[in-house]
Amino acid sequence: MGRTFQVYLDIGNNSGNGRVCSSVSGVDQLSPNGDCERTYACMHCRAHLAAHADLISKSFHGSQGRAYLFDRVVNVIVGPAEERLLLTGLHSVADIYCHGCRTPQV
């Protein structure tokens, strides 16, 4: 059985200058100008999920902790949308799962 297709976020080229970037929440890459560009990734299989530039808000809080709002994500399976009462009010939310390893992204 073949491996499923994954989308890799094109946010820069990290070859050439030997600089290493580190991140707690994902994978960092170097942009063309040499700055680190944060990429949110699955904690289990490291598949790219979103670019830091697509992060809209970290101001949401639910029963399981922080919830992030992104403009665009890749490599995810979206669960059914449902109304949930978060600490910031009633919101329509959907859980997401990594397309590569099928783990919930909480």
Side-chain angles (χ1 to χ4, degrees):
M1 181 184 289
R3 186 173 171 104
T4 59
F5 176 75
Q6 285 187 358
V7 175
Y8 294 96
L9 296 170
D10 183 21
I11 59 172
N13 181 0
N14 63 353
S15 61
N17 65 2
R19 183 171 170 204
V20 176
C21 299
S22 62
S23 171
V24 173
S25 61
V27 178
D28 283 342
Q29 296 181 3
L30 294 179
S31 67
N33 65 4
D35 295 332
C36 289
E37 297 276 346
R38 191 173 339 170
T39 303
Y40 292 89
C42 174
M43 292 181 66
H44 298 281
C45 71
R46 307 299 283 171
H48 290 182
L49 300 177
H52 184 69
D54 290 324
L55 178 64
I56 294 173
S57 176
K58 291 195 233 182
S59 299
F60 297 96
H61 295 278
S63 62
Q64 306 232 346
R66 268 181 158 173
Y68 292 2
L69 176 63
F70 287 94
D71 184 41
R72 183 178 84 97
V73 294
V74 296
N75 298 322
V76 297
I77 299 167
V78 181
E82 57 187 44
E83 296 288 323
R84 290 190 196 158
L85 184 60
L86 304 179
L87 296 176
T88 53
L90 186 65
H91 297 277
S92 179
V93 298
D95 292 329
I96 61 170
Y97 304 87
C98 175
H99 190 272
C101 64
R102 306 289 197 259
T103 57
Q105 300 300 305
V106 292

